[in-house]
Amino acid sequence: MKQSTRGFAAAALLLSSMSIGRAGETVAGRWEGLVQIPDRELKLVIDLAQRDGKAWIGSVIIPGLDVKGAQLADIAVQNSDVSFTIKTPRGLQATLKGNLNSDGTLAGDFVEAGNTAPFVLKKIGPAQVEMPPQSTPISKELEGEWKGEYELYGYPRHVTVKLLNRGSEGAAAELVIVGKKTTNLPVELVTLEGDSLTIDSHGTGTSYEGRFNKDASEIKGIFIQAGIELPLVLRRVK
Amino acid sequence: MKISQHFALFTVLGAANFCQAQSMFRGDAAHSGSYLGPAPRQFHRLKWKFATGNRIVSSPVIDSKRIYFGGDDGNVYAVDAETGRQIWKCTTRGPVSSSPAVANGIVYATSYDGKLYALNSDTGAVKWKFATGGERRFEAKGLHGMQPKTQTIADPFDVFLSSPVIVKNTVYFGSGDGNVYALDAATGEQRWKFTTGDVVHASPAYADGVLFFGSWDSYFYAVDAASGKEKWRFHGGEDPLIHNQVGFQSSPALANGVVYTGCRDSNVYALDAVTGKEKWRCNNELSWVNSSPAIAQGKVFFATSDSSLFRVVEAATGKEVIRQQAKAYMFSSPAVVGDVVFVGVLNGTLEARDVKTGDLLWEFQTEASKQNKGWILTADRKFNAPLLFYSGWRETPIVAVDRQFGIGAIFSSPLIANGAVYFGSTDGFLYALD
């Protein structure tokens, strides 16, 4: 009796994992369709794939919203249930929860800013998941703390940048601006090409582009904030 | 003691008859924004709504039980205050994005066709028209950080035209041609014009023979109402980078020898009406103050744009009394009636707040706001920025602003009369609530 129960459980587990495997095969690919927002159809192109046949990765294109290759997060595939979250640098955050239907569509609810609308996606081909740009390593001389100042609307803003290498993950940066209040800007990308350093905080629409002068121990560049370009020279903190 | 002091100041101010007339923008020539009661402290019903052909940003005025307002469909309207039935309409050749003023049987209104119209208040027949140098919106290269930054872009948030003010048989108003005009109210003959450096879409306020107004050239002016000669000017903030934190869109209000005005440089200023000297400023951290302050009970009531704050400060010192967070930008000017203050919000909601605490008493949401087509709003009625302002390039921000207006936004400043609240909405309706 016990043996047969165990056998049944094993069979169920096997069937279940086979079903998950099949679902995985079915879910992987490029999906295209519409979200039926009242008075505004939103086109979606979703790419879903499994890395090494295991963890799910994905990206999204939203034509008309300037979204190309934004990463999907929290991807979950369980039997015919599929869910994931879209997070774009400009702050769009939407969750899609759907089901694989017998007609081959993936359909469900698109939830954004507390609003809910139905979506239907059809698979149109193999996945073309776009990977996010990676930070590059920076030279040893750039590592450490840098400070500078710019003026906006008559008030000085004090900028502190801390740069460090993280091995294979490339460089990382802390970007703190102190004006009337202190703002710690999240940095997604740090790149160094030759002596050109770029620090990007996509989500806040802020970036810094500078040229590293090793001899002067300074980075001379522009700070870009909401379309405003301001000269900013960063000097090493000794 | 307080009453006698108040009375003495009334005498000093002369023509600034607070709370007595509601026949021009903000109730009177001093733009107090303070009205006589009663006002609904609780919402009872939609009394009526009047349909027009386009959005309404004009603030209604009342005279002899008639509501007058302008429509962006190009019409000036007279509507029965009790029934909401149209009495007449007069068609101009451009949006009437301002409040009419009524005196001596004549309705005065400005239109985007660049003319001021004087209309028979009984029939809407045109008595005379006065042509300015032409209307235009404030514009600048790279405005608000929009791209391409070397191209001149007209400001989509410059929604109002200057509302006329009538004092002693003279009608005063500003224009997109940068001038403020003084015309004979009976004939339309020009008495004088005063030239500023940019668009004047604020409505001039008047007290003690002096006219006060701000311009988009970053200056606030005091001009002799009889001669048009400058008495003083005050310099607000400048923004050579993206022209965002510059200009007086707010119309001033006067009380007790002090002129109060909002500014796009994010300040509310209190200036000595005689000297122009700054008494205090109240900063709003880069958020525009386009709404006009209301002055009542020794306090200044105003609303902000980006930070969406309803604020009340002491008129004498600028010290904060109330700060309440609203859900969306406010361009509408608060209207104070007894213990209630009303203000429109761009998410399509009219709010009634307690004068002492600023707490929300009730709110009315337009149908367009409830429908929320295109998800302009989040579920909790804030603007859904990621779906609206997803790019700073080309026309995207302009289209986004137009979409914002599509959800029944309330730019109009509420008029309170006979226990009812009247206001317009960008859904094209004039509403009467009681």
Side-chain angles (χ1 to χ4, degrees), chain B residues 117-399:
Chain B
Y117 288 73
L119 312 172
N120 182 309
S121 66
D122 288 329
T123 64
V126 178
K127 292 176 86 76
W128 52 261
K129 288 186 247 182
F130 176 85
T132 67
E135 266 307 333
R136 72 180 183 96
R137 285 185 166 180
F138 171 65
E139 61 191 304
K141 286 180 178 175
L143 182 74
H144 309 327
M146 286 189 261
Q147 303 276 9
K149 64 182 180 184
T150 53
Q151 186 153 37
T152 300
I153 298 165
D155 192 336
F157 291 106
D158 179 11
V159 289
F160 303 116
L161 289 176
S162 175
S163 299
V165 164
I166 308 157
V167 183
K168 297 174 184 169
N169 201 35
T170 303
V171 55
Y172 303 95
F173 67 102
S175 166
D177 66 9
N179 294 315
V180 170
Y181 292 91
L183 310 180
D184 184 298
T187 65
E189 188 183 340
Q190 183 177 308
R191 295 192 198 277
W192 53 258
K193 73 174 178 183
F194 180 88
T195 304
T196 77
D198 214 321
V199 170
V200 181
H201 280 162
S203 175
Y206 173 93
D208 277 353
V210 183
L211 207 63
F212 302 89
F213 52 87
S215 165
W216 238 294
D217 67 2
S218 79
Y219 285 97
F220 187 87
Y221 297 89
V223 169
D224 183 275
S227 66
K229 294 265 169 63
E230 181 177 325
K231 293 179 85 72
W232 53 259
R233 67 172 70 185
F234 173 82
H235 196 187
E238 296 270 13
D239 182 1
L241 292 170
I242 56 169
H243 314 280
N244 176 275
Q245 297 282 299
V246 63
F248 290 89
Q249 186 169 13
S250 164
S251 299
L254 279 134
N256 304 340
V258 181
V259 57
Y260 303 90
T261 184
C263 186
R264 277 196 171 189
D265 71 3
S266 83
N267 290 307
V268 169
Y269 293 103
L271 309 174
D272 185 291
V274 175
T275 64
K277 193 177 168 193
E278 181 179 323
K279 294 177 82 74
W280 53 257
R281 70 173 68 186
C282 178
N283 188 265
N284 294 278
E285 295 169 4
L286 299 181
S287 183
W288 293 343
V289 184
N290 294 336
S291 100
S292 303
I295 317 296
Q297 303 162 22
K299 298 183 183 74
V300 181
F301 300 73
F302 65 94
T304 72
S305 174
D306 297 57
S307 57
S308 309
L309 290 173
F310 171 76
R311 299 187 71 181
V312 183
V313 298
E314 287 179 358
T317 62
K319 188 181 166 192
E320 184 165 274
V321 182
I322 294 170
R323 172 190 286 241
Q324 291 277 7
Q325 185 67 55
K327 288 177 176 166
Y329 313 153
M330 288 174 282
F331 281 39
S332 167
S333 306
V336 183
V337 193
D339 58 358
V340 189
V341 54
F342 299 89
V343 67
V345 186
L346 294 196
N347 65 1
T349 307
L350 180 91
E351 294 185 346
R353 292 181 176 273
D354 183 272
V355 160
K356 286 202 172 112
T357 64
D359 291 340
L360 193 65
L361 297 171
W362 57 267
E363 58 186 353
F364 173 84
Q365 191 181 6
T366 61
E367 277 305 313
S369 176
K370 285 180 189 167
Q371 289 169 5
N372 191 21
K373 287 180 179 172
W375 288 2
I376 306 305
L377 302 172
T378 64
D380 60 352
R381 282 186 269 161
K382 292 173 181 165
F383 280 119
N384 195 354
L387 282 192
L388 283 168
F389 296 97
Y390 54 85
S391 168
W393 271 97
R394 297 193 300 242
E395 289 77 20
T396 303
I398 310 287
V399 172

Side-chain angles (χ1 to χ4, degrees), chain A residues 152-191:
Chain A
L152 185 62
Y153 301 124
Y155 295 99
R157 286 356 189 233
H158 304 279
V159 180
T160 302
V161 178
K162 285 181 187 168
L163 292 163
L164 77 156
N165 278 310
R166 298 173 303 174
S168 61
E169 290 180 57
E174 283 178 32
L175 177 56
V176 180
I177 300 171
V178 181
K180 283 183 180 172
K181 52 189 175 187
T182 299
T183 310
N184 201 333
L185 297 170
V187 174
E188 292 93 7
L189 191 65
V190 179
T191 59

